[in-house]
């Protein structure tokens, strides 16, 4: 049985990985940490390492992907595989762009404090999922329910952690374990092009693009993500060269074009 850490992203809890933990239960013992009120990515990485087995596979989604990189920075010898989903490796930009990012992130925190987490979530959510899924009440409500389980204080702590995120670009070139990078084709927050740049820096990595999918890939297209993780955990072959492929989304059709 493979020990697998599944690291959640901003305001996410175990439900963001629910499908994958169940789908992989026959091959992996999955654990999903809670970040509590931690306010830095290195502190989150240290917390994950304290509760982790001596050696483990590691997958992180969104902010969790950045935490996964910090785990690898701290203890590369303990990580047997790494998967980075809908994430990035850049630090916050300097100057006006970085100031604007801080303004936008902290404005959402202000909205959460004044109007509540669910109202904030309705503002935050539309760019996070494929536009074709905005009318999917089950998906939208499951995400909003998850956000509402967190507090504005936790939200602010995690936003400040992201604003102070380390630059991990140089670290990518030092990764020497099997690596999977995954992005939704419609992810405008952490787009496929960013993942392609990251994959090019990791020797022998695989890049998977999931069609009809935005930033919340584990919940939007859970089967495709679970299949990609299974193939990463138990590869049928290894070419030693970087590869890119589009995920098979079982039962998914392209949305009808209107207008």
């Amino acid at each position: 049985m493979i020990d697998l850490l599944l690291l959640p992203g901003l305001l996410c809890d175990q439900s963001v990985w629910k499908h994958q933990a169940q789908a992989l239960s026959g091959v992996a013992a999955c654990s999903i940490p809670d970040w509590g009120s931690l306010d830095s990515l290195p502190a989150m990485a240290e917390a994950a390492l304290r509760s982790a087995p001596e050696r483990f596979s590691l997958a992180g989604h969104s902010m969790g992907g950045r935490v996964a990189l910090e785990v690898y920075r701290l203890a590369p010898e303990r990580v047997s595989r790494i998967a980075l989903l809908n994430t990035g490796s850049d630090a916050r930009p300097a100057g006006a762009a970085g100031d604007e990012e801080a303004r936008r992130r902290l404005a959402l925190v202000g909205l959460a404090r004044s109007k509540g987490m669910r109202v904030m979530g309705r503002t935050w959510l539309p760019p996070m999922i494929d536009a074709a899924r905005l009318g999917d009440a089950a998906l939208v409500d499951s995400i909003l329910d998850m956000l509402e389980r967190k507090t504005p204080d936790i939200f602010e702590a995690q936003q400040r952690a992201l604003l102070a995120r380390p630059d991990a670009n140089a670290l990518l070139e030092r990764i020497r374990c099997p690596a999977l990078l995954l992005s939704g084709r419609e992810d405008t927050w952490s787009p496929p092009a960013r993942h392609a740049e990251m994959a090019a820096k990791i020797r022998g990595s695989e890049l998977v693009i999931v069609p009809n999918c935005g930033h919340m890939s584990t919940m939007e297209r859970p089967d495709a993500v679970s299949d990609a993780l299974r193939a990463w955990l138990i590869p049928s072959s290894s070419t030693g060269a970087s590869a890119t492929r589009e995920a098979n989304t079982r039962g998914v059709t392209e949305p009808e074009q209107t207008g």
Side-chain angles (χ1 to χ4, degrees):
M1 186 71 72
I2 298 167
D3 288 311
L4 174 60
L5 267 63
L6 299 171
L7 307 186
L10 178 68
L11 292 179
C12 295
D13 59 22
Q14 292 191 358
S15 61
V16 80
W17 288 112
K18 179 179 178 180
H19 184 282
Q20 290 71 42
Q22 292 176 346
L24 299 172
S25 60
V27 298
C30 298
S31 57
I32 306 169
D34 185 293
W35 305 128
S37 58
L38 294 173
D39 62 358
S40 83
L41 302 187
M44 294 174 189
E46 290 169 359
L49 281 167
R50 282 195 296 272
S51 61
E54 183 57 30
R55 191 160 171 82
F56 52 88
S57 294
L58 178 66
H61 171 257
S62 191
M63 182 184 76
R66 293 182 181 274
V67 177
L69 289 169
E70 294 309 300
V71 169
Y72 192 89
R73 192 196 302 275
L74 291 170
E77 73 285 353
R78 294 178 61 184
V79 179
S80 57
R81 300 173 187 81
I82 189 167
L84 306 171
L85 284 64
N86 305 92
T87 192
S89 55
D90 291 334
R92 176 162 62 113
D99 292 343
E100 175 60 16
E101 180 185 337
R103 185 198 67 78
R104 288 186 288 104
R105 287 187 182 277
L106 296 179
L108 286 172
V109 173
L111 180 60
R113 292 194 183 282
S114 63
K115 301 293 186 181
M117 292 295 290
R118 198 172 192 91
V119 171
M120 182 283 301
R122 291 193 181 279
T123 298
W124 172 86
L125 182 60
M128 294 293 113
I129 63 175
D130 178 9
R133 302 292 299 280
L134 288 172
D136 184 335
L139 172 65
V140 169
D141 285 345
S142 67
I143 296 172
L144 292 177
D145 289 346
M146 178 173 65
L147 302 185
E148 200 170 21
R149 289 193 287 271
K150 301 297 185 180
T151 67
D153 285 345
I154 289 173
F155 189 27
E156 181 171 1
Q158 293 186 1
Q159 290 284 44
R160 294 195 181 280
L162 285 166
L163 288 170
R165 60 190 181 268
D167 188 327
N169 283 307
L171 177 66
L172 297 174
E173 299 177 357
R174 303 204 300 269
I175 293 176
R176 292 292 179 266
C177 62
L180 168 69
L181 292 96
L182 183 146
S183 178
R185 194 176 62 196
E186 286 69 42
D187 187 347
T188 59
W189 187 257
S190 299
R194 178 189 296 177
H195 291 77
E197 292 171 358
M198 294 169 64
K201 295 179 180 180
I202 304 176
R203 187 173 63 192
S205 63
E206 181 182 22
L207 173 62
V208 172
I209 306 301
V210 182
N212 310 116
C213 182
H215 188 71
M216 300 298 290
S217 63
T218 61
M219 300 176 79
E220 290 181 70
R221 300 300 177 198
D223 287 327
V225 173
S226 296
D227 288 348
L229 290 174
R230 180 181 291 273
W232 159 73
L233 284 169
I234 310 174
S236 58
S237 63
S238 177
T239 63
S242 297
T244 302
R245 65 181 177 86
E246 188 166 278
N248 174 30
T249 49
R250 292 171 283 166
V252 173
T253 58
E254 293 287 343
E256 292 184 4
Q257 300 298 312
T258 59

